[in-house]
Structure formats: C-alpha cells, structure tokens
Amino acid sequence: MTTKIVSINKRSSIYFNLFFSPLIFFICAFYFSIGFAKAPPESFADLSDQVSSSVVNIASTVTSENAPLNEFPQFPPGSPFEEFFKDFMDKGPARRPSQSLGSGFIISKEGLIVTNNHVIANASSITVVLHDGTSLQAKLIGADTKTDLAVLKVKTDLDLKAVSWGNSDKIKVGNWAMAIGNPFGLVNTVTVGIVSARARDINAGPFDDFIQTDASINRGNSGGPLFNLDGQVIGVNTAIYSPSGGSVGIGFAIPSALAKNVVGQLNKHGRTIRGWLGVRIQTVTEDLAESLGLDRAYGALVATTLPGSPAEKSGIKPGDIILEFDGKRVDKMRTLPKLVAETKVGKKVTIKIWRFQKLISKKVLLGRLESSGEFKAEKENKSDDIKTTKIENLKILVRNLNKDDISKRELPKNTTGVVVTEILQGSPLIFVSVNDVIVELQKKKVVNSNQFSKLVNETISKGAKTLYLAIYNSRNQRSYITVKLK
C-alpha cells in the first residue's frame, strides 16, 4: 500500500511539472515585467488637470519708433501706381506697437513666473493671462540672454497654483514628456511625446545642454514647461528645428538642472552670478590626443589665457588640456564652460591638466564672469550691433544683423546684413519696412552698417539711378527689389 501511494505521488509530480511549471513560469515572468517595465499611461488627462492651471500665456508689447503705418504693395519700377500709393498711403512716421506671444509657468504662490528671455525682450509692457482668462500686468525681475531665461512677477489676490522642478539629470531617453503652452495663440494646448535625446548642442549659446523631445512644440510654446509623468518641470521649451516653420517633431527644452539655478539667481539678484576661469578653449581632436600622449580625445585644450584672469594667476598655460574641474570630468570641450559657470564665485577649485604627457593639478580661485574684462568686451560688441547708423542717401537708419536675429528669425546661419530700424520721411525705399534685413546691394554681399554705408555712397557716386537690393522681409521671405533714386 505504501509503495502504491509513492508511485502515485511520483506520477502526480510528473504531471505537475509538465503542466503547472510552465504556467507558474509565465505568471512570474508577467509580474516581473510589470515591476521593471512600466506600462504606458492609459491617458494623460489626470496629469493635464493637475498642472494646466500653473501654465500661463504671455503677451509682450514692443513699440517700434517711427515705423511706417502702412506697407506698400510692390509694383514694377516706374509704374504709375508707385507715386499714387506713395502719396495716398505715406502718412509720415508713427509709433507702431507689435506683440509677441509666448508661454510661461508659475513657480511660487507669490506670483513668480518663468519664461524665455526672447519672449519678453525689449518689451514696453508684459501681460500674463492665467488659466481662467484673468489678465495681469507683469514686472520683469531679471533675464539672462546666455540661457534665454527670464523671471516675471505678478501681483494678485488669487490663489495661484505653482509647479515644482523635477530633476532633469535623472531623465532617460524614451521617458514620457508633456508640453503645455500657447502655440499660435491657441491657449492651453497639451502635447505629448518622449525625451528623444539629452545634452543636445544646437549652437544657441555657451551653455547649450538641451533636452530634445518629439512632443509637438510650435511658435508660442516658447517659455512653457515640459513635464514628466509626476507633474514636475524637467525643461523649459525654447526652440524647434523646422525647415517649414511648424513642428516636425524636433523640439528643444532647457533642462531643469540648469534652469532652476539660473532662475534662482535672477529671483535673488535680478541677474546671474557665474564663475569665471578666463581661458579660451578648443576641441581636443584624435590627432591632438595622440600627439600629446592622451589615451583618447577628451578634455578642453587651452588656446589662450586672458591677462589677469584666475587661470593665468594659477599658472595654467596655453597648450594645457583641462581634464577635470572641481572633481568633475571634462568629457568634451563644451562641458568646461558649463562647469565653471555653475561653480560659486570665489570658490577655490582643483583643476587637473595634461601637460608634457603628465597629469598635474592647479588650485584656482574663481572670479566672476559678469565683472570680467571678457564679459565687458562681449557686451561692448553687442552694443555695436545695437548701435544704429544713418544712411543719408536712403534716409533710413540701420544696425548690424546679429546672432540673436539670425536665431530668432531662423535665417541661414551664414547670413550677414543690416536690419532697418527706422525709415525717415522722403526715403526712396518705399517697398522696405522696419525690421527688414538688407543682405545685398548691387549683387554685393552686405556685411555690416559701415560697409553698407560705403557701398551705397560708392554706387551713387558712380551715377547709378537704380539700386538693386536683396532683402528678407518680416516674414523672412527673401526677395529682390529695385529702388529708383530721385
């Protein structure tokens, strides 16, 4: 009897192994996969409800001095309609306000709002529209052109709902991301995608470290938040890549790790306070690394040290390769400016450099970028771009086209020219408007204001009766026009 029971138990064990073991395996595998591969959300409705009231629309007004009230239709040179429209429509100089639309988000119940600098740059007034349609006048607390961030403040008795910063350093490519903003004036538009890439360098500035996303971002989304699934802000939507002008699924956001630090400084000081080393650097190529005895191409090669800079005082020399800054590895050249800028002014840091095939260390007391000669020289150069030049023969004022213009207007990167800032009464440029960009004169490339002025004078002195210009209009459409001189 005992033997029979044993044989039955063995047979049962065999049946159990054959039929139930695979079932248990699949059940365990299912629960294992749930724990490690998070299923996509069924809906983003709850997340949208949670954060939408913290997103605002921003309208900034910029007034152009002495801009013509009317744009003239284009006619062939010498057309009888040319004089008619000039007499009928030319009402003289006027002030024309223009409006820029963007987005932002509330970061404190006291009314602090984050947006892009380019949304509110040069604004004479800034209006913030809340989720419920309430309009409030905003005050600019501070702005930073290098990272394209700005902080505004509104006063209201309303109970404002703030969002919190997330940690962009922890996001992974493939994570869900949700953008909310004001594209083309369509308020509270929600779009969803994934994090497509990290640490993108798009040559927008010295601290490029963008999050790339395929969540739909268009004009008007600028300054709006990019959320993770926890409703935390992981980025500030800033730019798009778009040959057509609309979303093609390539958008860029300033990571929260950078934005949070800059916003904190702007709120506290009204400006940024960045560390300064005082070196001009270049990329370490494979050939350079091999010739200098490095095992691979990394770090930042010092091209020059600026006189009186912290780098020069500490003994850093041209030809040195900076491999580590304050305990952080410099994987590539553009990593160094970010590390320096994020370090507290006045801190004594250790820098590891490669010199004569040896690794040596230097102690450096960081200075402040904003008080350095390098920063002041940069600002002076920018002021040259803003400075206007009067072209007497054409009765217009122009300024140099700068990198910000090219970026914001999405012009070809190698574009040079002058921006028309004012058209005086009696100007022969009746088919040109304020903010048009003149890029050619008589098929010759326009480089800057001074060169353009000389080119105009030389052309007229040779007896030219008609000027042949290539321009980009306010819609960034390139065209050729003729100007008949009196």
Side-chain angles (χ1 to χ4, degrees):
M1 189 72 177
T2 304
T3 304
K4 192 175 181 180
I5 293 174
V6 170
S7 63
I8 291 173
N9 284 343
K10 284 182 179 179
R11 190 178 296 116
S12 299
S13 176
I14 292 170
Y15 291 154
F16 181 87
N17 288 333
L18 286 175
F19 296 103
F20 291 98
S21 292
L23 179 61
I24 293 173
F25 172 79
F26 285 117
I27 292 172
C28 290
F30 174 74
Y31 283 105
F32 181 83
S33 66
I34 290 176
F36 287 88
K38 192 174 181 180
E42 291 182 4
S43 168
F44 293 89
D46 290 341
L47 178 59
S48 176
D49 288 342
Q50 175 188 338
V51 297
S52 286
S53 59
S54 302
V55 182
V56 301
N57 302 320
I58 296 174
S60 59
T61 302
V62 179
T63 303
S64 301
E65 296 286 346
N66 298 320
L69 283 172
N70 300 294
E71 290 188 7
F72 295 96
Q74 294 193 18
F75 297 103
S79 168
F81 291 104
E82 189 174 353
E83 288 298 321
F84 171 76
F85 272 91
K86 183 178 178 183
D87 293 338
F88 183 74
M89 298 179 69
D90 189 359
K91 302 300 182 183
R95 290 166 60 88
R96 177 192 290 175
S98 60
Q99 203 167 61
S100 172
L101 296 176
S103 307
F105 54 96
I106 302 166
I107 59 168
S108 79
K109 292 184 176 181
E110 291 71 38
L112 287 179
I113 294 169
V114 175
T115 188
N116 281 144
N117 173 67
H118 76 257
V119 171
I120 52 82
N122 304 314
S124 54
S125 68
I126 304 170
T127 302
V128 168
V129 182
L130 303 181
H131 184 259
D132 63 359
T134 303
S135 293
L136 301 169
Q137 287 301 304
K139 175 185 176 183
L140 177 62
I141 300 299
D144 178 43
T145 57
K146 289 184 179 293
T147 56
D148 197 16
L149 289 166
V151 178
L152 311 175
K153 188 168 186 178
V154 294
K155 287 185 177 180
T156 179
D157 294 330
L158 296 172
D159 186 19
L160 299 177
K161 184 179 178 181
V163 287
S164 60
W165 294 105
N167 188 348
S168 58
D169 289 338
K170 291 185 177 181
I171 63 172
K172 296 179 180 179
V173 174
N175 283 165
W176 287 103
M178 184 173 78
I180 304 181
N182 183 32
F184 304 112
L186 299 170
V187 298
N188 303 119
T189 296
V190 177
T191 56
V192 174
I194 62 168
V195 174
S196 304
R198 292 184 54 188
R200 283 295 195 209
D201 181 357
I202 61 173
N203 294 313
F207 310 120
D208 278 18
D209 189 27
F210 289 98
I211 298 168
Q212 182 182 326
T213 179
D214 67 350
S216 183
I217 296 173
N218 288 285
R219 295 180 186 275
N221 273 109
S222 291
L226 187 69
F227 292 105
N228 60 18
L229 290 184
D230 295 322
Q232 298 171 323
V233 177
I234 55 171
V236 182
N237 301 320
T238 298
I240 61 172
Y241 171 78
S242 174
S244 64
S247 174
V248 293
I250 304 177
F252 301 99
I254 302 165
S256 59
L258 172 62
K260 183 179 179 181
N261 181 40
V262 173
V263 166
Q265 289 189 22
L266 293 176
N267 182 35
K268 186 176 180 180
H269 307 289
R271 62 191 188 283
T272 55
I273 301 175
R274 293 188 173 98
W276 178 56
L277 184 58
V279 292
R280 298 197 188 282
I281 55 177
Q282 64 185 69
T283 300
V284 179
T285 63
E286 293 287 351
D287 290 340
L288 274 171
E290 185 178 351
S291 64
L292 295 173
L294 273 178
D295 59 342
R296 63 183 182 86
Y298 74 109
L301 175 63
V302 177
T304 57
T305 55
L306 301 178
S309 67
E312 186 192 53
K313 291 176 181 177
S314 68
I316 293 176
K317 299 177 180 179
D320 289 345
I321 298 179
I322 298 175
L323 302 179
E324 191 175 294
F325 178 87
D326 198 24
K328 300 179 181 71
R329 190 180 182 88
V330 181
D331 289 321
K332 54 187 177 180
M333 183 261 291
R334 290 187 68 89
T335 303
L336 183 63
K338 299 168 193 172
L339 293 176
V340 174
E342 292 169 0
T343 305
K344 188 176 179 181
V345 173
K347 183 178 181 181
K348 202 165 192 175
V349 299
T350 299
I351 297 179
K352 291 185 179 180
I353 62 176
W354 187 255
R355 180 190 293 175
F356 300 131
Q357 300 191 12
K358 290 182 180 178
L359 188 65
I360 63 175
S361 296
K362 293 286 183 181
K363 291 283 187 181
V364 183
L365 185 67
L366 282 193
R368 182 185 169 196
L369 175 63
E370 289 80 1
S371 62
S372 69
E374 182 181 14
F375 184 79
K376 290 175 182 175
E378 186 179 320
K379 291 199 79 174
E380 286 171 7
N381 291 335
K382 284 191 175 181
S383 67
D384 288 341
D385 288 340
I386 297 171
K387 178 181 162 186
T388 57
T389 300
K390 186 176 182 180
I391 312 298
E392 292 285 355
N393 289 311
L394 301 182
K395 292 185 172 57
I396 60 171
L397 296 180
V398 298
R399 65 170 175 81
N400 294 341
L401 181 74
N402 57 43
K403 290 181 179 179
D404 287 342
D405 296 321
I406 294 170
S407 175
K408 291 173 186 175
R409 296 179 62 154
E410 298 181 358
L411 298 173
K413 288 184 179 180
N414 60 349
T415 304
T416 62
V418 294
V419 181
V420 178
T421 61
E422 189 173 340
I423 300 176
L424 305 176
Q425 194 164 8
S427 171
L429 302 187
I430 61 172
F431 297 142
V432 175
S433 301
V434 169
N435 290 327
D436 283 356
V437 181
I438 301 173
V439 293
E440 285 183 15
L441 171 63
Q442 312 300 83
K443 297 295 288 182
K444 293 180 181 177
K445 190 174 183 178
V446 175
V447 178
N448 55 41
S449 299
N450 291 334
Q451 180 253 8
F452 177 61
S453 180
K454 290 177 183 177
L455 200 54
V456 170
N457 292 337
E458 288 172 5
T459 304
I460 294 175
S461 67
K462 291 177 181 177
K465 300 298 181 185
T466 302
L467 300 183
Y468 189 51
L469 301 174
I471 68 166
Y472 282 99
N473 63 19
S474 59
R475 296 180 295 279
N476 299 330
Q477 297 168 330
R478 195 179 195 275
S479 61
Y480 287 96
I481 64 168
T482 55
V483 178
K484 192 174 180 181
L485 299 174
K486 294 180 180 179

